[in-house]
Amino acid sequence: MDTANIRIDASLLATHQGKLVRIIGVCESYDSSSESGVLNSNGPIKLTLQNDSLLVGKNYEIIGKVSTSNNSVNVYSVIELSDNVNMEVAKKLVSYVHKVPELFHG
């Protein structure tokens, strides 16, 4: 797996098609029968999971690849985060990663 990835949210999905990404968000829905879910990260993001499960209302960091056809994310890794994650701060982090990339991808 390519180790270079960038932190994004729903607003940046279309510009990162085919790329490995990191996303912090809150699980809005999860369907175990289809192994799919929706993560809210400054908007909804459809997830395709493999042998992972999510709990609705929990915070997660997802590492995965953005599909080139429908802006969904094929999930490679799921990390459950604390219930105390400030999503406004996570949103600002995404913004700073793209404004000052040399600080994060030097």
mmCIF file of all heavy atoms in Angstrom, residues 60-105:
data_model
loop_
_atom_site.group_PDB
_atom_site.id
_atom_site.type_symbol
_atom_site.label_atom_id
_atom_site.label_comp_id
_atom_site.label_asym_id
_atom_site.label_seq_id
_atom_site.Cartn_x
_atom_site.Cartn_y
_atom_site.Cartn_z
ATOM 1 N N TYR A 60 -14.353 8.405 14.165
ATOM 2 C CA TYR A 60 -13.359 7.513 13.566
ATOM 3 C C TYR A 60 -12.371 8.287 12.715
ATOM 4 O O TYR A 60 -12.696 9.356 12.183
ATOM 5 C CB TYR A 60 -14.043 6.487 12.650
ATOM 6 C CG TYR A 60 -14.899 5.498 13.381
ATOM 7 C CD1 TYR A 60 -16.261 5.717 13.534
ATOM 8 C CD2 TYR A 60 -14.353 4.344 13.931
ATOM 9 C CE1 TYR A 60 -17.062 4.817 14.209
ATOM 10 C CE2 TYR A 60 -15.154 3.436 14.607
ATOM 11 C CZ TYR A 60 -16.498 3.676 14.748
ATOM 12 O OH TYR A 60 -17.282 2.781 15.420
ATOM 13 N N GLU A 61 -11.184 7.709 12.581
ATOM 14 C CA GLU A 61 -10.265 8.134 11.532
ATOM 15 C C GLU A 61 -10.219 6.974 10.541
ATOM 16 O O GLU A 61 -9.990 5.824 10.929
ATOM 17 C CB GLU A 61 -8.861 8.421 12.046
ATOM 18 C CG GLU A 61 -7.941 8.826 10.905
ATOM 19 C CD GLU A 61 -6.566 9.255 11.346
ATOM 20 O OE1 GLU A 61 -5.941 8.522 12.148
ATOM 21 O OE2 GLU A 61 -6.116 10.305 10.882
ATOM 22 N N ILE A 62 -10.465 7.296 9.289
ATOM 23 C CA ILE A 62 -10.497 6.310 8.219
ATOM 24 C C ILE A 62 -9.303 6.544 7.308
ATOM 25 O O ILE A 62 -9.001 7.686 6.960
ATOM 26 C CB ILE A 62 -11.796 6.459 7.383
ATOM 27 C CG1 ILE A 62 -13.040 6.299 8.260
ATOM 28 C CG2 ILE A 62 -11.805 5.527 6.190
ATOM 29 C CD1 ILE A 62 -13.238 4.939 8.859
ATOM 30 N N ILE A 63 -8.633 5.482 6.926
ATOM 31 C CA ILE A 63 -7.617 5.558 5.876
ATOM 32 C C ILE A 63 -8.133 4.697 4.741
ATOM 33 O O ILE A 63 -8.533 3.549 4.947
ATOM 34 C CB ILE A 63 -6.252 5.040 6.362
ATOM 35 C CG1 ILE A 63 -5.763 5.894 7.534
ATOM 36 C CG2 ILE A 63 -5.236 5.058 5.211
ATOM 37 C CD1 ILE A 63 -4.509 5.370 8.202
ATOM 38 N N GLY A 64 -8.181 5.279 3.553
ATOM 39 C CA GLY A 64 -8.717 4.551 2.420
ATOM 40 C C GLY A 64 -8.438 5.261 1.111
ATOM 41 O O GLY A 64 -7.820 6.323 1.078
ATOM 42 N N LYS A 65 -8.928 4.663 0.044
ATOM 43 C CA LYS A 65 -8.703 5.202 -1.296
ATOM 44 C C LYS A 65 -10.023 5.707 -1.866
ATOM 45 O O LYS A 65 -11.028 4.997 -1.841
ATOM 46 C CB LYS A 65 -8.118 4.120 -2.201
ATOM 47 C CG LYS A 65 -7.575 4.639 -3.501
ATOM 48 C CD LYS A 65 -6.789 3.547 -4.209
ATOM 49 C CE LYS A 65 -5.948 4.125 -5.314
ATOM 50 N NZ LYS A 65 -5.099 3.106 -5.934
ATOM 51 N N VAL A 66 -9.995 6.936 -2.389
ATOM 52 C CA VAL A 66 -11.189 7.535 -2.979
ATOM 53 C C VAL A 66 -11.442 6.894 -4.339
ATOM 54 O O VAL A 66 -10.549 6.807 -5.179
ATOM 55 C CB VAL A 66 -11.039 9.058 -3.130
ATOM 56 C CG1 VAL A 66 -12.292 9.668 -3.734
ATOM 57 C CG2 VAL A 66 -10.717 9.713 -1.789
ATOM 58 N N SER A 67 -12.660 6.436 -4.547
ATOM 59 C CA SER A 67 -13.053 5.826 -5.816
ATOM 60 C C SER A 67 -12.974 6.853 -6.941
ATOM 61 O O SER A 67 -13.225 8.037 -6.735
ATOM 62 C CB SER A 67 -14.481 5.296 -5.700
ATOM 63 O OG SER A 67 -14.985 4.937 -6.958
ATOM 64 N N THR A 68 -12.657 6.377 -8.124
ATOM 65 C CA THR A 68 -12.613 7.269 -9.287
ATOM 66 C C THR A 68 -13.977 7.403 -9.950
ATOM 67 O O THR A 68 -14.144 8.231 -10.834
ATOM 68 C CB THR A 68 -11.592 6.764 -10.329
ATOM 69 O OG1 THR A 68 -11.936 5.434 -10.688
ATOM 70 C CG2 THR A 68 -10.183 6.812 -9.785
ATOM 71 N N SER A 69 -14.949 6.605 -9.519
ATOM 72 C CA SER A 69 -16.247 6.641 -10.196
ATOM 73 C C SER A 69 -17.347 7.346 -9.411
ATOM 74 O O SER A 69 -18.227 7.960 -9.992
ATOM 75 C CB SER A 69 -16.696 5.227 -10.538
ATOM 76 O OG SER A 69 -16.828 4.465 -9.359
ATOM 77 N N ASN A 70 -17.320 7.260 -8.078
ATOM 78 C CA ASN A 70 -18.466 7.806 -7.339
ATOM 79 C C ASN A 70 -18.105 8.547 -6.049
ATOM 80 O O ASN A 70 -18.967 8.789 -5.218
ATOM 81 C CB ASN A 70 -19.466 6.691 -7.027
ATOM 82 C CG ASN A 70 -18.873 5.617 -6.152
ATOM 83 O OD1 ASN A 70 -17.754 5.728 -5.659
ATOM 84 N ND2 ASN A 70 -19.624 4.551 -5.941
ATOM 85 N N ASN A 71 -16.849 8.884 -5.860
ATOM 86 C CA ASN A 71 -16.378 9.622 -4.683
ATOM 87 C C ASN A 71 -16.626 8.915 -3.356
ATOM 88 O O ASN A 71 -16.622 9.543 -2.310
ATOM 89 C CB ASN A 71 -16.967 11.029 -4.630
ATOM 90 C CG ASN A 71 -16.345 11.961 -5.636
ATOM 91 O OD1 ASN A 71 -15.261 11.698 -6.141
ATOM 92 N ND2 ASN A 71 -17.027 13.040 -5.948
ATOM 93 N N SER A 72 -16.871 7.608 -3.386
ATOM 94 C CA SER A 72 -16.931 6.864 -2.138
ATOM 95 C C SER A 72 -15.491 6.524 -1.749
ATOM 96 O O SER A 72 -14.557 6.729 -2.516
ATOM 97 C CB SER A 72 -17.757 5.590 -2.302
ATOM 98 O OG SER A 72 -17.119 4.699 -3.186
ATOM 99 N N VAL A 73 -15.318 6.003 -0.537
ATOM 100 C CA VAL A 73 -13.984 5.653 -0.058
ATOM 101 C C VAL A 73 -13.934 4.169 0.246
ATOM 102 O O VAL A 73 -14.751 3.661 1.018
ATOM 103 C CB VAL A 73 -13.606 6.481 1.198
ATOM 104 C CG1 VAL A 73 -12.271 6.028 1.758
ATOM 105 C CG2 VAL A 73 -13.567 7.968 0.866
ATOM 106 N N ASN A 74 -12.992 3.463 -0.377
ATOM 107 C CA ASN A 74 -12.726 2.061 -0.062
ATOM 108 C C ASN A 74 -11.805 2.050 1.148
ATOM 109 O O ASN A 74 -10.667 2.491 1.064
ATOM 110 C CB ASN A 74 -12.077 1.356 -1.248
ATOM 111 C CG ASN A 74 -13.003 1.304 -2.436
ATOM 112 O OD1 ASN A 74 -14.187 1.017 -2.294
ATOM 113 N ND2 ASN A 74 -12.481 1.595 -3.611
ATOM 114 N N VAL A 75 -12.291 1.560 2.270
ATOM 115 C CA VAL A 75 -11.602 1.675 3.549
ATOM 116 C C VAL A 75 -10.541 0.592 3.708
ATOM 117 O O VAL A 75 -10.818 -0.592 3.520
ATOM 118 C CB VAL A 75 -12.621 1.608 4.703
ATOM 119 C CG1 VAL A 75 -11.916 1.628 6.047
ATOM 120 C CG2 VAL A 75 -13.610 2.749 4.587
ATOM 121 N N TYR A 76 -9.330 1.022 4.075
ATOM 122 C CA TYR A 76 -8.229 0.101 4.372
ATOM 123 C C TYR A 76 -8.024 -0.045 5.873
ATOM 124 O O TYR A 76 -7.594 -1.083 6.350
ATOM 125 C CB TYR A 76 -6.928 0.588 3.754
ATOM 126 C CG TYR A 76 -6.924 0.660 2.241
ATOM 127 C CD1 TYR A 76 -6.119 1.575 1.586
ATOM 128 C CD2 TYR A 76 -7.705 -0.174 1.455
ATOM 129 C CE1 TYR A 76 -6.094 1.650 0.197
ATOM 130 C CE2 TYR A 76 -7.688 -0.109 0.082
ATOM 131 C CZ TYR A 76 -6.877 0.802 -0.542
ATOM 132 O OH TYR A 76 -6.855 0.882 -1.908
ATOM 133 N N SER A 77 -8.297 1.031 6.628
ATOM 134 C CA SER A 77 -8.049 1.014 8.068
ATOM 135 C C SER A 77 -9.079 1.865 8.786
ATOM 136 O O SER A 77 -9.447 2.942 8.311
ATOM 137 C CB SER A 77 -6.641 1.561 8.347
ATOM 138 O OG SER A 77 -6.401 1.678 9.727
ATOM 139 N N VAL A 78 -9.546 1.380 9.942
ATOM 140 C CA VAL A 78 -10.512 2.101 10.769
ATOM 141 C C VAL A 78 -9.914 2.241 12.160
ATOM 142 O O VAL A 78 -9.513 1.257 12.771
ATOM 143 C CB VAL A 78 -11.852 1.332 10.873
ATOM 144 C CG1 VAL A 78 -12.797 2.020 11.842
ATOM 145 C CG2 VAL A 78 -12.486 1.172 9.509
ATOM 146 N N ILE A 79 -9.872 3.477 12.655
ATOM 147 C CA ILE A 79 -9.381 3.732 14.006
ATOM 148 C C ILE A 79 -10.487 4.450 14.768
ATOM 149 O O ILE A 79 -10.907 5.540 14.366
ATOM 150 C CB ILE A 79 -8.107 4.608 13.986
ATOM 151 C CG1 ILE A 79 -7.022 3.919 13.167
ATOM 152 C CG2 ILE A 79 -7.634 4.900 15.411
ATOM 153 C CD1 ILE A 79 -5.897 4.821 12.742
ATOM 154 N N GLU A 80 -10.985 3.828 15.839
ATOM 155 C CA GLU A 80 -12.004 4.488 16.649
ATOM 156 C C GLU A 80 -11.336 5.542 17.516
ATOM 157 O O GLU A 80 -10.314 5.285 18.163
ATOM 158 C CB GLU A 80 -12.741 3.478 17.535
ATOM 159 C CG GLU A 80 -13.893 4.112 18.288
ATOM 160 C CD GLU A 80 -14.713 3.115 19.090
ATOM 161 O OE1 GLU A 80 -14.699 1.917 18.781
ATOM 162 O OE2 GLU A 80 -15.384 3.567 20.038
ATOM 163 N N LEU A 81 -11.899 6.741 17.516
ATOM 164 C CA LEU A 81 -11.356 7.857 18.285
ATOM 165 C C LEU A 81 -12.212 8.110 19.521
ATOM 166 O O LEU A 81 -13.319 7.582 19.653
ATOM 167 C CB LEU A 81 -11.313 9.122 17.417
ATOM 168 C CG LEU A 81 -10.505 9.007 16.125
ATOM 169 C CD1 LEU A 81 -10.651 10.285 15.299
ATOM 170 C CD2 LEU A 81 -9.044 8.730 16.412
ATOM 171 N N SER A 82 -11.721 8.960 20.389
ATOM 172 C CA SER A 82 -12.431 9.337 21.605
ATOM 173 C C SER A 82 -13.758 10.016 21.271
ATOM 174 O O SER A 82 -13.909 10.639 20.222
ATOM 175 C CB SER A 82 -11.547 10.303 22.412
ATOM 176 O OG SER A 82 -12.296 10.976 23.387
ATOM 177 N N ASP A 83 -14.694 9.935 22.192
ATOM 178 C CA ASP A 83 -15.960 10.640 22.030
ATOM 179 C C ASP A 83 -15.785 12.148 22.168
ATOM 180 O O ASP A 83 -16.685 12.916 21.865
ATOM 181 C CB ASP A 83 -16.978 10.159 23.067
ATOM 182 C CG ASP A 83 -17.447 8.741 22.807
ATOM 183 O OD1 ASP A 83 -17.356 8.287 21.645
ATOM 184 O OD2 ASP A 83 -17.902 8.086 23.754
ATOM 185 N N ASN A 84 -14.610 12.581 22.626
ATOM 186 C CA ASN A 84 -14.348 13.996 22.872
ATOM 187 C C ASN A 84 -13.668 14.704 21.709
ATOM 188 O O ASN A 84 -13.154 15.803 21.884
ATOM 189 C CB ASN A 84 -13.483 14.159 24.127
ATOM 190 C CG ASN A 84 -14.186 13.632 25.359
ATOM 191 O OD1 ASN A 84 -15.397 13.759 25.489
ATOM 192 N ND2 ASN A 84 -13.442 13.018 26.248
ATOM 193 N N VAL A 85 -13.650 14.127 20.529
ATOM 194 C CA VAL A 85 -13.027 14.772 19.376
ATOM 195 C C VAL A 85 -13.847 15.998 18.988
ATOM 196 O O VAL A 85 -15.062 15.920 18.835
ATOM 197 C CB VAL A 85 -12.926 13.804 18.173
ATOM 198 C CG1 VAL A 85 -12.461 14.531 16.930
ATOM 199 C CG2 VAL A 85 -11.995 12.661 18.500
ATOM 200 N N ASN A 86 -13.165 17.125 18.843
ATOM 201 C CA ASN A 86 -13.816 18.355 18.418
ATOM 202 C C ASN A 86 -13.791 18.390 16.894
ATOM 203 O O ASN A 86 -12.747 18.600 16.282
ATOM 204 C CB ASN A 86 -13.083 19.563 19.009
ATOM 205 C CG ASN A 86 -13.761 20.875 18.690
ATOM 206 O OD1 ASN A 86 -14.320 21.053 17.614
ATOM 207 N ND2 ASN A 86 -13.680 21.799 19.632
ATOM 208 N N MET A 87 -14.933 18.192 16.268
ATOM 209 C CA MET A 87 -14.988 18.106 14.811
ATOM 210 C C MET A 87 -14.693 19.443 14.137
ATOM 211 O O MET A 87 -14.232 19.466 13.002
ATOM 212 C CB MET A 87 -16.336 17.553 14.364
ATOM 213 C CG MET A 87 -16.552 16.115 14.829
ATOM 214 S SD MET A 87 -15.104 15.082 14.595
ATOM 215 C CE MET A 87 -15.589 14.208 13.173
ATOM 216 N N GLU A 88 -14.921 20.544 14.819
ATOM 217 C CA GLU A 88 -14.548 21.853 14.252
ATOM 218 C C GLU A 88 -13.030 21.969 14.157
ATOM 219 O O GLU A 88 -12.502 22.525 13.188
ATOM 220 C CB GLU A 88 -15.130 22.997 15.078
ATOM 221 C CG GLU A 88 -16.615 23.201 14.853
ATOM 222 C CD GLU A 88 -16.954 23.502 13.396
ATOM 223 O OE1 GLU A 88 -16.306 24.378 12.782
ATOM 224 O OE2 GLU A 88 -17.883 22.858 12.865
ATOM 225 N N VAL A 89 -12.325 21.453 15.142
ATOM 226 C CA VAL A 89 -10.858 21.466 15.101
ATOM 227 C C VAL A 89 -10.361 20.532 13.992
ATOM 228 O O VAL A 89 -9.429 20.868 13.260
ATOM 229 C CB VAL A 89 -10.259 21.067 16.476
ATOM 230 C CG1 VAL A 89 -8.756 20.878 16.382
ATOM 231 C CG2 VAL A 89 -10.609 22.117 17.520
ATOM 232 N N ALA A 90 -10.999 19.382 13.838
ATOM 233 C CA ALA A 90 -10.625 18.456 12.757
ATOM 234 C C ALA A 90 -10.823 19.119 11.397
ATOM 235 O O ALA A 90 -10.005 18.968 10.484
ATOM 236 C CB ALA A 90 -11.439 17.168 12.851
ATOM 237 N N LYS A 91 -11.903 19.887 11.245
ATOM 238 C CA LYS A 91 -12.179 20.607 10.008
ATOM 239 C C LYS A 91 -11.084 21.643 9.736
ATOM 240 O O LYS A 91 -10.609 21.785 8.606
ATOM 241 C CB LYS A 91 -13.550 21.280 10.115
ATOM 242 C CG LYS A 91 -14.021 21.998 8.886
ATOM 243 C CD LYS A 91 -15.427 22.557 9.126
ATOM 244 C CE LYS A 91 -15.884 23.444 8.017
ATOM 245 N NZ LYS A 91 -17.220 23.993 8.276
ATOM 246 N N LYS A 92 -10.661 22.342 10.776
ATOM 247 C CA LYS A 92 -9.591 23.336 10.632
ATOM 248 C C LYS A 92 -8.272 22.660 10.282
ATOM 249 O O LYS A 92 -7.486 23.200 9.494
ATOM 250 C CB LYS A 92 -9.454 24.153 11.905
ATOM 251 C CG LYS A 92 -10.588 25.126 12.094
ATOM 252 C CD LYS A 92 -10.433 25.907 13.363
ATOM 253 C CE LYS A 92 -11.643 26.816 13.561
ATOM 254 N NZ LYS A 92 -11.564 27.570 14.807
ATOM 255 N N LEU A 93 -8.010 21.486 10.859
ATOM 256 C CA LEU A 93 -6.783 20.757 10.540
ATOM 257 C C LEU A 93 -6.717 20.441 9.052
ATOM 258 O O LEU A 93 -5.686 20.626 8.407
ATOM 259 C CB LEU A 93 -6.695 19.472 11.361
ATOM 260 C CG LEU A 93 -5.506 18.554 11.063
ATOM 261 C CD1 LEU A 93 -4.185 19.276 11.304
ATOM 262 C CD2 LEU A 93 -5.601 17.287 11.893
ATOM 263 N N VAL A 94 -7.827 19.978 8.486
ATOM 264 C CA VAL A 94 -7.881 19.699 7.046
ATOM 265 C C VAL A 94 -7.541 20.962 6.261
ATOM 266 O O VAL A 94 -6.756 20.934 5.313
ATOM 267 C CB VAL A 94 -9.264 19.154 6.629
ATOM 268 C CG1 VAL A 94 -9.407 19.111 5.115
ATOM 269 C CG2 VAL A 94 -9.490 17.778 7.222
ATOM 270 N N SER A 95 -8.100 22.071 6.674
ATOM 271 C CA SER A 95 -7.850 23.341 5.995
ATOM 272 C C SER A 95 -6.364 23.700 6.045
ATOM 273 O O SER A 95 -5.772 24.083 5.027
ATOM 274 C CB SER A 95 -8.684 24.439 6.649
ATOM 275 O OG SER A 95 -8.339 25.700 6.153
ATOM 276 N N TYR A 96 -5.743 23.575 7.214
ATOM 277 C CA TYR A 96 -4.327 23.929 7.351
ATOM 278 C C TYR A 96 -3.410 22.984 6.584
ATOM 279 O O TYR A 96 -2.391 23.398 6.054
ATOM 280 C CB TYR A 96 -3.920 23.985 8.824
ATOM 281 C CG TYR A 96 -4.506 25.174 9.541
ATOM 282 C CD1 TYR A 96 -5.235 25.019 10.710
ATOM 283 C CD2 TYR A 96 -4.353 26.462 9.042
ATOM 284 C CE1 TYR A 96 -5.783 26.113 11.367
ATOM 285 C CE2 TYR A 96 -4.902 27.564 9.693
ATOM 286 C CZ TYR A 96 -5.614 27.374 10.852
ATOM 287 O OH TYR A 96 -6.154 28.451 11.488
ATOM 288 N N VAL A 97 -3.766 21.711 6.529
ATOM 289 C CA VAL A 97 -2.963 20.748 5.765
ATOM 290 C C VAL A 97 -2.861 21.186 4.304
ATOM 291 O O VAL A 97 -1.823 21.035 3.669
ATOM 292 C CB VAL A 97 -3.567 19.323 5.870
ATOM 293 C CG1 VAL A 97 -2.998 18.400 4.819
ATOM 294 C CG2 VAL A 97 -3.349 18.757 7.257
ATOM 295 N N HIS A 98 -3.930 21.761 3.790
ATOM 296 C CA HIS A 98 -3.944 22.174 2.385
ATOM 297 C C HIS A 98 -3.406 23.592 2.173
ATOM 298 O O HIS A 98 -2.902 23.902 1.101
ATOM 299 C CB HIS A 98 -5.352 22.013 1.803
ATOM 300 C CG HIS A 98 -5.746 20.579 1.737
ATOM 301 N ND1 HIS A 98 -5.465 19.791 0.649
ATOM 302 C CD2 HIS A 98 -6.352 19.772 2.650
ATOM 303 C CE1 HIS A 98 -5.885 18.555 0.892
ATOM 304 N NE2 HIS A 98 -6.426 18.529 2.088
ATOM 305 N N LYS A 99 -3.489 24.445 3.198
ATOM 306 C CA LYS A 99 -2.941 25.802 3.093
ATOM 307 C C LYS A 99 -1.428 25.823 3.250
ATOM 308 O O LYS A 99 -0.745 26.629 2.629
ATOM 309 C CB LYS A 99 -3.561 26.714 4.162
ATOM 310 C CG LYS A 99 -4.966 27.140 3.848
ATOM 311 C CD LYS A 99 -5.494 28.064 4.904
ATOM 312 C CE LYS A 99 -6.941 28.426 4.632
ATOM 313 N NZ LYS A 99 -7.523 29.238 5.700
ATOM 314 N N VAL A 100 -0.905 24.954 4.126
ATOM 315 C CA VAL A 100 0.528 24.937 4.432
ATOM 316 C C VAL A 100 1.045 23.488 4.358
ATOM 317 O O VAL A 100 1.438 22.897 5.354
ATOM 318 C CB VAL A 100 0.795 25.528 5.835
ATOM 319 C CG1 VAL A 100 2.278 25.838 6.013
ATOM 320 C CG2 VAL A 100 -0.041 26.769 6.090
ATOM 321 N N PRO A 101 1.046 22.896 3.159
ATOM 322 C CA PRO A 101 1.399 21.472 3.039
ATOM 323 C C PRO A 101 2.836 21.154 3.469
ATOM 324 O O PRO A 101 3.098 20.032 3.909
ATOM 325 C CB PRO A 101 1.180 21.173 1.552
ATOM 326 C CG PRO A 101 1.214 22.493 0.877
ATOM 327 C CD PRO A 101 0.734 23.493 1.875
ATOM 328 N N GLU A 102 3.737 22.115 3.387
ATOM 329 C CA GLU A 102 5.119 21.846 3.764
ATOM 330 C C GLU A 102 5.264 21.525 5.258
ATOM 331 O O GLU A 102 6.222 20.863 5.658
ATOM 332 C CB GLU A 102 6.045 22.998 3.366
ATOM 333 C CG GLU A 102 5.709 24.337 3.964
ATOM 334 C CD GLU A 102 4.714 25.158 3.150
ATOM 335 O OE1 GLU A 102 4.067 24.633 2.207
ATOM 336 O OE2 GLU A 102 4.548 26.338 3.471
ATOM 337 N N LEU A 103 4.316 21.947 6.077
ATOM 338 C CA LEU A 103 4.352 21.602 7.493
ATOM 339 C C LEU A 103 3.950 20.152 7.752
ATOM 340 O O LEU A 103 4.346 19.559 8.740
ATOM 341 C CB LEU A 103 3.416 22.519 8.300
ATOM 342 C CG LEU A 103 3.850 23.959 8.472
ATOM 343 C CD1 LEU A 103 2.780 24.732 9.230
ATOM 344 C CD2 LEU A 103 5.183 24.049 9.168
ATOM 345 N N PHE A 104 3.141 19.602 6.864
ATOM 346 C CA PHE A 104 2.581 18.270 7.084
ATOM 347 C C PHE A 104 3.164 17.198 6.169
ATOM 348 O O PHE A 104 3.083 16.026 6.459
ATOM 349 C CB PHE A 104 1.070 18.314 6.916
ATOM 350 C CG PHE A 104 0.404 19.249 7.888
ATOM 351 C CD1 PHE A 104 0.149 20.562 7.540
ATOM 352 C CD2 PHE A 104 0.070 18.826 9.161
ATOM 353 C CE1 PHE A 104 -0.452 21.433 8.436
ATOM 354 C CE2 PHE A 104 -0.522 19.682 10.055
ATOM 355 C CZ PHE A 104 -0.786 20.996 9.706
ATOM 356 N N HIS A 105 3.705 17.608 5.030
ATOM 357 C CA HIS A 105 4.212 16.647 4.053
ATOM 358 C C HIS A 105 5.593 17.037 3.571
ATOM 359 O O HIS A 105 5.903 16.970 2.399
ATOM 360 C CB HIS A 105 3.262 16.561 2.842
ATOM 361 C CG HIS A 105 1.879 16.193 3.221
ATOM 362 N ND1 HIS A 105 1.525 14.919 3.598
ATOM 363 C CD2 HIS A 105 0.743 16.926 3.326
ATOM 364 C CE1 HIS A 105 0.246 14.892 3.899
ATOM 365 N NE2 HIS A 105 -0.238 16.092 3.757
#
